[in-house]
Amino acid sequence: MSAAAPQGPSPGQWQGGDRGSLRAALAGLTTRGRSFLAAGIAAAVCAYVLGQADLLRVGLLLAVLPLVCVLVLHRTRHRVAASRRLAPHRVETGAEARVHLRMDNVSRLPTGLLMLQDHVPYMLGPRPRFVLDRVEAGGRREVSYRVRSDLRGRFPLGPLQLRLTDPFGMCELTRSFSAQDMLTVIPRTEALPPVRLGGESAGYGEGQQRALALAGDDDIIPRAYRHGDDLRRVHWRSTARYGELMVRREEQPQRARCTVLLDTRDLAYEGGGPDSAFEWAVSGAASVLTHMLERGYAVRLLTDTGSTVPGEGAEGFAGAGQDSAEAAGLMLDTLAVVDHSEGAGLSRAYDVLRGGHEGLLVAFFGDLDEEQAALAARMRHRGGAAVAFLLDSGTWLTGGAVPGAVEDRLRRLREAGWQAFAVRPGARLGDLWQHAGGAAAQAPGADTYGGWS
């Protein structure tokens, strides 16, 4: 839960000697309050001119009442605390998140009518407003609302505004809290079937499980004892051999690797919106990297700009053991805000892949000309499998058949060893993924170019 910090005085502090603050509070007088004040002043002037003491007392009462309401409300404003809790902080597109607001009256006096308003971007829905009746001293009120977005991105929630009124309706003051929460809307992911992709080398996929069975769960490599090492890991045979205390250094065999390449070039995609080809590619990349992390692969996300996620360390790969969830969250957060790049080619991504690291390569390409198709064909490593999904903008905009130029790009990639598929609007990645694994190769009526419903 994140507490909403006030802009200005801290809760419980009354700036009674601050003329500017009191002047702002006086500006919060309502029409009723101003009328009472004007009537009181007029009655006091008439009482003085006419010498009527009773009228003077009435005028003072009318004039003092709104001023007292201003002072009380001004003091109460800094004795009201608010907080916001967002659950969850990360949701997929189309899913809902719930925002919980809590208001605490930390003063010894009850409040009047309270109106809460939270600022949310228009993509998340209408601005929520709540009206709270009188809150007793030390009391608490909780309200909640839901937000939903069909567009991915990071959206700020807040600041929260609290409008207070006195029981007589003489004054109305507003207090703003500076704290904000960030809602991350990630691409929608699709569960993929566990298939074995052709071209995987030993040590990858099922071969990795056999390597683990042969090598054992741990390779025992002794090293010198360090302060803080568990004495149960002392390797006595090595200790006797080297004449110093040695412990077992446990190393896991090399894990299978997978690189997910996302083409974000602006010139490679046309159209926009949640159903565009680019959004399908982003969602597909999110589905693949999540699926491969669940299978135990070390995964990295690579874009046409040459940047990798989670980072440049260890060639950009991450997702070992307990770090899988953290790595998935980091990559999904990156895909939540990824946008089109200004690059014209895939050369930077090719330079990263040219390092010679074998493993599975899954690529999502937009429009490819002959030069970029030839460059993409050379990205595949000899020892690893490579799967490519081509999204032709013309096909997505018109919904027509796959043009001959795209078929020529597919043929070139397949000759280079890629398993390449053209993606039509409405195609399901799970069907294409199963087709890539060969499980659905004999399904009757299967469309070679991925136009499955």
Side-chain angles (χ1 to χ4, degrees):
M1 181 180 295
S2 60
Q7 292 179 343
S10 59
Q13 180 181 1
W14 176 37
Q15 299 291 338
D18 189 348
R19 295 181 179 179
S21 181
L22 284 178
R23 191 178 298 112
L26 288 173
L29 283 172
T30 62
T31 303
R32 179 184 300 178
R34 295 175 186 272
S35 299
F36 267 67
L37 183 60
I41 294 175
V45 172
C46 292
Y48 176 77
V49 173
L50 300 176
Q52 297 290 330
D54 293 337
L55 184 59
L56 178 61
R57 285 191 289 267
V58 173
L60 291 178
L61 176 62
L62 294 176
V64 168
L65 181 58
L67 296 178
V68 171
C69 292
V70 169
L71 293 177
V72 172
L73 203 61
H74 177 69
R75 180 182 177 88
T76 304
R77 180 175 63 170
H78 300 299
R79 292 184 179 271
V80 177
S83 61
R84 182 191 302 103
R85 179 168 56 89
L86 177 61
H89 286 268
R90 182 190 292 121
V91 296
E92 291 188 356
T93 55
E96 291 184 343
R98 183 169 290 274
V99 184
H100 301 268
L101 302 177
R102 191 181 78 180
M103 197 282 301
D104 295 276
N105 181 14
V106 298
S107 68
R108 298 180 181 179
L109 298 175
T111 68
L113 193 66
L114 298 177
M115 287 173 282
L116 290 175
Q117 177 177 278
D118 207 8
H119 289 265
V120 299
Y122 71 92
M123 291 81 71
L124 301 183
R127 182 171 297 177
R129 294 180 176 89
F130 304 94
V131 178
L132 304 180
D133 205 351
R134 175 180 178 273
V135 181
E136 65 279 3
R140 174 188 300 174
R141 295 291 186 272
E142 294 186 4
V143 294
S144 64
Y145 64 93
R146 294 177 295 182
V147 291
R148 176 183 178 274
S149 175
D150 292 327
L151 301 175
R152 54 186 177 82
R154 301 188 70 205
F155 305 100
L157 300 178
L160 178 66
Q161 281 190 343
L162 178 64
R163 184 178 299 175
L164 304 91
T165 59
D166 64 279
F168 301 101
M170 299 288 181
C171 184
E172 185 176 273
L173 298 181
T174 301
R175 180 181 179 186
S176 295
F177 298 85
S178 60
Q180 292 183 333
D181 287 277
M182 195 66 65
L183 175 66
T184 303
V185 181
I186 61 177
R188 182 183 289 109
T189 58
E190 179 181 348
L192 302 181
V195 299
R196 175 173 173 81
L197 299 175
E200 288 179 336
S201 60
Y204 297 93
E206 295 177 1
Q208 179 200 19
Q209 304 299 330
R210 292 194 296 269
L212 285 173
L214 293 175
D217 291 338
D218 297 320
D219 288 337
I220 301 177
I221 303 176
R223 62 168 175 81
Y225 174 83
R226 299 171 185 170
H227 179 71
D229 285 339
D230 191 349
L231 294 177
R232 290 175 296 181
R233 294 173 54 193
V234 174
H235 195 243
W236 297 109
R237 180 179 298 179
S238 299
T239 299
R241 178 180 178 182
Y242 293 102
E244 60 176 323
L245 200 59
M246 305 291 290
V247 296
R248 296 189 300 271
R249 178 172 57 189
E250 300 172 350
E251 293 187 355
Q252 294 292 338
Q254 184 178 5
R255 302 172 65 249
R257 291 180 172 181
C258 174
T259 298
V260 179
L261 172 61
L262 176 62
D263 182 8
T264 64
R265 295 172 299 141
D266 186 36
L267 54 82
Y269 300 92
E270 295 181 15
D275 298 327
S276 63
F278 181 67
E279 293 301 323
W280 194 98
V282 174
S283 178
S287 301
V288 171
L289 68 87
T290 303
H291 174 73
M292 301 310 293
L293 283 171
E294 292 175 352
R295 291 191 62 192
Y297 278 66
V299 182
R300 70 175 172 182
L301 174 64
L302 176 65
T303 65
D304 58 287
T305 61
S307 59
T308 59
V309 178
E312 299 298 336
E315 294 85 29
F317 291 91
Q322 297 179 352
D323 296 333
S324 296
E326 181 180 354
L330 181 60
M331 295 181 189
L332 290 176
D333 288 346
T334 302
L335 290 176
V337 297
V338 70
D339 202 356
H340 293 288
S341 68
E342 299 297 332
L346 303 171
S347 58
R348 294 183 179 178
Y350 174 76
D351 293 338
V352 175
L353 294 172
R354 194 173 52 180
H357 302 288
E358 295 184 355
L360 176 63
L361 174 61
V362 182
F364 294 86
F365 293 117
D367 296 335
L368 296 176
D369 55 23
E370 292 188 6
E371 179 182 356
Q372 300 307 317
L375 188 62
R378 297 197 301 269
M379 290 182 180
R380 178 187 175 273
H381 295 295
R382 295 182 178 179
V387 182
F389 300 99
L390 272 67
L391 294 93
D392 175 64
S393 296
T395 304
W396 277 76
L397 291 177
T398 62
V402 176
V406 177
E407 294 183 357
D408 181 68
R409 308 292 186 264
L410 292 172
R411 178 184 54 80
R412 174 171 295 187
L413 291 177
R414 288 167 181 165
E415 289 176 352
W418 287 79
Q419 298 185 57
F421 305 90
V423 182
R424 291 176 177 173
R428 296 183 63 252
L429 179 61
D431 295 335
L432 297 174
W433 189 258
Q434 191 169 3
H435 192 192
Q442 299 179 356
D447 190 339
T448 305
Y449 298 109
W452 295 8
S453 59

